[in-house]
C-alpha cells in the first residue's frame, strides 16, 4: 500500500543551523502539507503546497521556513536558522484532492534544536 | 478561524468494552468536514473515520462510529469492542473551504485499552 515517507526520523541540530526535512508523498497526490507538533501540544498546520507553489501558510511559517518540490517526488521543508522553539515533530501529509479526501501522513521527523 | 477542542486528555477502557471520545468544534463555515485520526506509538497518523457536515447520517466504519450533533457542534467517536491495538492518541480534526482544506486539530485524547 502506498505511503508517505519522511527522512530523517530524528534530526539533532545546533541553534542557528539550517535543516532540511524530506518527505516523499504518495505518487499520484496533488496536495502537500507540513504540520508540526510541539511535545504535549496539538498538531498545527504550517503550510500547504499545490501546483508548485504555496497555497496557504500559517503565521508560524515565517521567513525562516521554505518549502520546495525539487524533482517531482520529494517535498522538502527547510528551516534556515533554527531556534530552540523549532524543536518539534514535523509531519508531512499529502492528498489526492480536497475536502473529504483523506490526508495521508508520514511518520514524522523529530527535530531537536540544542 | 476554526477551533477543535478535546476535553479528555486521557481515557482508559477494558478490552471488549465500549468507549466514547468527545470532541467539540467551532466554525463559521457552512461546508466543512470532520475527521478522527489515530496516532499509535509508532507515530504514523491514520484516518479512522470522516464525516461531511451536510450529511445528517452518522458515519460508521466497522467498530468505529461517530455521534455528529451539528447544532451542538459536537463530534464524538465511539469505539465498540475495544481491542488492545486501539491503544493510541486520537485526534479530532476539521477542515473547511478555502484553497487547500488544511486540517485543524484538537489536542488529542490518549486512549489506553487494558487487557
Amino acid at each position: 500500500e502506498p505511503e508517505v515517507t519522511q527522512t530523517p526520523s530524528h534530526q539533532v541540530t545546533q541553534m542557528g543551523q539550517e535543516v532540511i526535512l524530506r518527505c516523499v508523498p504518495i505518487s499520484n497526490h496533488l496536495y502537500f502539507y507540513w504540520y508540526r507538533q510541539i511535545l504535549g501540544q496539538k498538531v498545527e498546520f504550517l503550510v500547504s503546497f499545490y501546483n508548485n507553489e504555496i497555497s496557504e501558510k500559517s503565521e508560524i511559517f515565517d521567513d525562516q521556513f521554505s518549502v520546495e518540490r525539487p524533482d517531482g517526488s520529494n517535498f522538502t521543508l527547510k528551516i534556515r536558522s533554527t531556534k530552540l522553539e523549532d524543536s518539534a515533530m514535523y509531519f508531512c501529509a499529502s492528498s489526492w484532492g480536497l475536502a473529504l479526501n483523506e490526508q495521508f501522513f508520514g511518520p514524522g521527523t523529530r527535530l531537536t534544536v540544542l | 478561524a476554526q477551533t477543535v477542542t478535546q476535553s479528555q486528555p486521557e481515557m482508559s477502557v477494558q478490552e471488549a468494552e465500549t468507549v466514547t471520545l468527545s470532541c467539540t468544534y467551532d466554525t463559521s463555515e457552512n461546508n466543512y468536514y470532520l475527521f478522527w485520526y489515530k496516532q499509535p506509538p509508532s507515530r504514523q497518523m491514520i484516518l479512522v473515520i470522516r464525516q461531511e457536515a451536510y450529511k445528517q447520517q452518522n458515519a460508521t466504519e466497522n467498530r468505529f462510529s461517530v455521534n455528529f450533533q451539528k447544532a451542538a457542534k459536537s463530534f464524538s467517536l465511539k469505539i465498540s469492542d475495544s481491542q488492545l491495538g486501539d491503544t493510541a492518541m486520537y485526534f479530532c480534526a476539521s477542515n473547511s473551504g478555502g484553497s487547500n482544506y488544511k486540517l485543524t486539530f484538537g489536542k488529542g485524547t490518549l486512549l489506553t485499552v487494558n487487557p
Side-chain angles (χ1 to χ4, degrees):
Chain A
E1 187 173 324
E3 59 183 18
V4 177
T5 59
Q6 289 185 244
T7 54
S9 57
H10 190 190
Q11 172 98 44
V12 181
T13 189
Q14 295 291 324
M15 191 169 57
Q17 294 295 303
E18 175 183 286
V19 294
I20 298 176
L21 310 183
R22 291 184 167 80
C23 168
V24 179
I26 294 172
S27 62
N28 63 343
H29 284 186
L30 303 175
Y31 299 86
F32 312 107
Y33 307 82
W34 283 100
Y35 295 85
R36 80 170 185 192
Q37 183 182 29
I38 295 172
L39 188 64
Q41 298 187 26
K42 62 174 69 177
V43 177
E44 302 171 290
F45 167 77
L46 289 178
V47 65
S48 59
F49 193 85
Y50 169 70
N51 200 24
N52 282 320
E53 61 183 23
I54 290 173
S55 47
E56 185 172 345
K57 58 185 180 180
S58 73
E59 57 194 29
I60 302 168
F61 194 89
D62 61 21
D63 291 345
Q64 293 301 311
F65 290 87
S66 62
V67 289
E68 199 176 36
R69 191 156 157 79
D71 55 12
S73 61
N74 289 284
F75 180 49
T76 62
L77 174 69
K78 183 194 292 188
I79 309 175
R80 258 181 276 279
S81 176
T82 50
K83 302 189 275 278
L84 295 176
E85 54 264 38
D86 293 328
S87 294
M89 278 292 286
Y90 288 80
F91 293 101
C92 172
S94 69
S95 68
W96 181 84
L98 296 175
L100 199 59
N101 286 101
E102 177 180 354
Q103 289 186 24
F104 289 80
F105 282 79
T109 292
R110 177 167 297 284
L111 176 66
T112 302
V113 182
L114 302 176
Chain B
Q2 292 190 314
T3 59
V4 177
T5 302
Q6 292 178 253
S7 58
Q8 305 152 314
E10 293 187 41
M11 291 192 74
S12 63
V13 64
Q14 292 299 119
E15 199 174 4
E17 298 292 305
T18 295
V19 64
T20 298
L21 309 183
S22 302
C23 173
T24 58
Y25 62 92
D26 194 16
T27 180
S28 56
E29 302 286 340
N30 289 321
N31 189 25
Y32 55 91
Y33 305 84
L34 299 163
F35 305 82
W36 278 97
Y37 276 86
K38 168 186 176 180
Q39 186 183 39
S42 66
R43 291 202 300 269
Q44 190 122 19
M45 278 216 276
I46 304 160
L47 180 67
V48 174
I49 197 164
R50 58 190 136 184
Q51 173 85 39
E52 297 161 81
Y54 62 85
K55 282 191 175 178
Q56 290 191 332
Q57 187 173 6
N58 289 323
T60 62
E61 287 285 343
N62 301 314
R63 298 184 294 108
F64 299 88
S65 61
V66 298
N67 183 5
F68 175 46
Q69 302 287 327
K70 191 171 183 178
K73 293 183 177 174
S74 169
F75 182 62
S76 59
L77 174 70
K78 186 170 88 170
I79 306 174
S80 305
D81 186 25
S82 298
Q83 300 174 1
L84 296 178
D86 294 334
T87 293
M89 198 73 168
Y90 286 81
F91 292 98
C92 180
S94 70
N95 69 16
S96 66
S99 59
N100 65 87
Y101 289 87
K102 67 185 181 192
L103 289 171
T104 300
F105 287 88
K107 290 185 93 169
T109 296
L110 178 60
L111 176 68
T112 303
V113 180
N114 299 309

